[in-house]
């Protein structure tokens, strides 16, 4: 029994071919670091988990003993599990628990899951973790060192994996937070248009609109819209950066990218209802900011669908 457990936790089903195992190391690094940095790390600002994630977990029915417990387990499972897969430590166990998480997302959370032919990334991640759970860490992993602990010489590829992990964690994680300085280039007045998709006619409509962005504090700013031909529709929205820079109001930060032209792209995401016959959907707000350019694009993807479509876009200049 002891040998079976040892083989399960630290063993591998791969042969000892160096080329095969080098490729497997690269795959593990990509899969593990991707989930740790882009899914786990943004949720590490609290001991438990962000409120928006706890609500999602509760909505899936994980309420006993509490949604907070399961949300924390899932958050730490993504972060720690991803790191373990990258390092090849407790590889099968880490992959198994992540496969369970993404089974729930890919096949229970989606309205119309496609078990074999679905083209959404949650399902791809699920099958990736299943593959790792079967194969284990391979030749270049900490599991291999533990299985052969009488020979403590750590292979060069494993050392390289550890170095890559440290580099990605220290640099990649920081890219997933924002602060008030990111929005300073957008402060001031703007002139432009709003193009939106009319659900009744299913055709785009463009109207004139001006905007003004004002910083109120270190973590708060306002965004006002002034509609030239429909002043009754004028509005001012308050934005609060919270959860250590990983959320804006109820929207989760999923991307912060400094683009080649010098503009800053920020992508925020939340769940909600949309359409004339309101249906559950995922919304993305894409903000691109530069000194003379400012766009805000709303993307929508209904549950069970694979692609986002553009609901509306504000395009400003000055």
């Amino acid at each position: 029994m002891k040998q079976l457990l040892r083989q399960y936790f630290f063993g591998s089903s791969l042969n000892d071919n160096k080329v095969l195992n080098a490729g497997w190391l690269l795959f593990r690094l990509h899969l593990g670091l991707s989930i740790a940095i882009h899914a786990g790390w943004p949720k590490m600002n609290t001991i438990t988990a962000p409120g928006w994630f706890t609500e999602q977990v509760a909505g899936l029915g994980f309420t006993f003993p509490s949604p907070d417990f399961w949300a924390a387990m899932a958050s730490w499972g993504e972060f720690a599990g991803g790191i373990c897969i990258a390092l090849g430590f407790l590889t099968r166990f880490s992959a198994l628990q992540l496969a369970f998480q993404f089974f729930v997302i890919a096949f229970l959370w989606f309205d119309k899951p496609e078990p074999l032919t679905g083209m959404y990334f949650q399902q791809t991640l699920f099958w990736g973790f299943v593959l790792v759970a079967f194969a284990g860490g391979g030749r270049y992993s900490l599991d291999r060192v533990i299985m052969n602990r009488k020979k403590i010489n750590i292979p060069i590829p494993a050392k390289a994996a550890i170095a890559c992990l440290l580099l990605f964690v220290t640099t990649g994680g920081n890219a997933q937070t924002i602060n008030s300085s990111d929005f300073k280039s957008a402060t001031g007045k703007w002139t432009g248009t709003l193009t939106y998709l009319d659900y009744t006619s299913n055709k785009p409509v463009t109207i004139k609109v001006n905007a003004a962005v004002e910083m109120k504090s270190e973590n708060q700013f306002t965004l006002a819209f002034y509609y030239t031909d429909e002043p009754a529709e004028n509005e001012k929205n308050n934005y609060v950066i919270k959860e250590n820079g990983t959320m804006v109001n109820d929207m989760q930060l999923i991307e912060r990218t400094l683009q080649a032209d010098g503009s800053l792209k920020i992508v925020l995401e939340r769940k909600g209802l949309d359409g004339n016959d309101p249906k559950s959907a995922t919304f993305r707000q894409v903000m691109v900011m530069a000194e003379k350019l400012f766009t805000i694009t709303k993307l929508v993807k209904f549950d069970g669908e694979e692609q986002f479509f553009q609901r509306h876009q504000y395009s400003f200049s000055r």
Side-chain angles (χ1 to χ4, degrees):
M1 178 61 70
K2 181 179 179 181
Q3 184 61 29
L4 287 175
L5 289 175
R6 189 162 178 257
Q7 179 63 31
Y8 167 74
F9 282 110
F10 305 111
S12 174
S13 301
L14 299 178
N15 63 33
D16 220 29
N17 182 277
K18 292 182 179 180
V19 175
L20 171 65
N21 280 275
W24 186 246
L25 170 63
L26 293 176
F27 177 71
R28 276 195 2 252
L29 284 171
H30 169 73
L31 186 65
L33 292 174
S34 294
I35 198 68
I37 293 171
H38 297 295
W41 179 253
K43 304 184 185 83
M44 290 296 101
N45 51 76
T46 62
I47 295 299
T48 54
W52 66 269
F53 188 57
T54 302
E55 292 176 4
Q56 284 189 2
V57 170
L60 287 167
F62 290 86
T63 57
F64 180 82
S66 74
D68 292 298
F69 169 79
W70 290 113
M73 292 289 288
S75 299
W76 281 95
E78 290 171 343
F79 181 62
I83 290 175
C84 284
I85 287 175
L87 291 175
F89 175 65
L90 294 174
T91 311
R92 281 177 163 156
F93 176 80
S94 301
L96 192 63
Q97 60 92 13
L98 281 165
F100 172 76
Q101 287 193 46
F102 278 85
F103 173 84
V104 173
I105 297 170
F107 302 114
L108 301 182
W109 184 67
F110 273 80
D111 288 340
K112 298 179 180 179
E114 299 177 39
L116 294 177
T117 61
M119 286 291 290
Y120 45 96
F121 74 92
Q122 292 93 340
Q123 178 172 303
T124 302
L125 285 169
F126 164 73
W127 287 115
F129 292 128
V130 169
L131 180 62
V132 175
F134 275 103
R139 178 188 179 102
Y140 304 124
S141 66
L142 293 182
D143 286 342
R144 175 64 174 260
V145 175
I146 293 170
M147 285 291 286
N148 300 278
R149 60 181 179 272
K150 293 181 180 179
K151 306 173 183 178
I152 295 298
N153 295 324
I154 300 177
I156 292 177
K159 293 179 181 178
I162 296 172
C164 288
L165 175 65
L166 294 174
L167 177 63
F168 272 77
V169 169
T170 55
T171 60
N174 293 333
Q176 294 300 305
T177 62
I178 56 177
N179 55 57
S180 59
S181 64
D182 290 329
F183 297 91
K184 286 185 178 179
S185 63
T187 56
K189 297 181 179 180
W190 299 87
T191 302
T193 60
L194 165 63
T195 300
Y196 64 91
L197 179 65
D198 187 325
Y199 277 153
T200 302
S201 64
N202 202 34
K203 295 181 179 179
V205 178
T206 300
I207 61 176
K208 295 180 180 179
V209 59
N210 298 324
V213 179
E214 180 183 0
M215 301 303 302
K216 306 297 290 186
S217 66
E218 291 185 1
N219 65 341
Q220 186 176 354
F221 65 95
T222 60
L223 173 57
F225 297 109
Y226 304 99
Y227 299 92
T228 305
D229 299 323
E230 301 178 48
E233 300 298 324
N234 292 351
E235 59 179 318
K236 179 181 286 189
N237 301 308
N238 191 51
Y239 290 82
V240 179
I241 303 170
K242 51 189 180 180
E243 301 288 353
N244 294 327
T246 62
M247 293 194 71
V248 178
N249 292 348
D250 63 342
M251 298 176 288
Q252 175 71 26
L253 173 70
I254 63 171
E255 181 184 343
R256 178 194 181 279
T257 305
L258 185 61
Q259 303 190 109
D261 61 0
S263 62
L264 179 65
K265 178 182 178 182
I266 292 175
V267 183
L268 306 169
E269 185 176 278
R270 68 176 179 86
K271 295 288 291 183
L273 299 175
D274 196 50
N276 289 335
D277 181 17
K279 296 187 294 183
S280 181
T282 300
F283 300 99
R284 284 186 179 174
Q285 182 169 304
V286 183
M287 306 175 75
V288 178
M289 296 168 285
E291 192 63 32
K292 301 294 183 180
L293 171 71
F294 182 28
T295 64
I296 305 172
T297 307
K298 180 181 179 181
L299 305 175
V300 179
K301 181 173 73 66
F302 291 112
D303 288 2
E305 297 185 359
E306 298 176 0
Q307 301 294 328
F308 283 87
F309 67 90
Q310 182 173 304
R311 181 70 173 91
H312 66 234
Q313 183 179 66
Y314 291 93
S315 298
F316 299 110
S317 62
R318 59 184 175 191

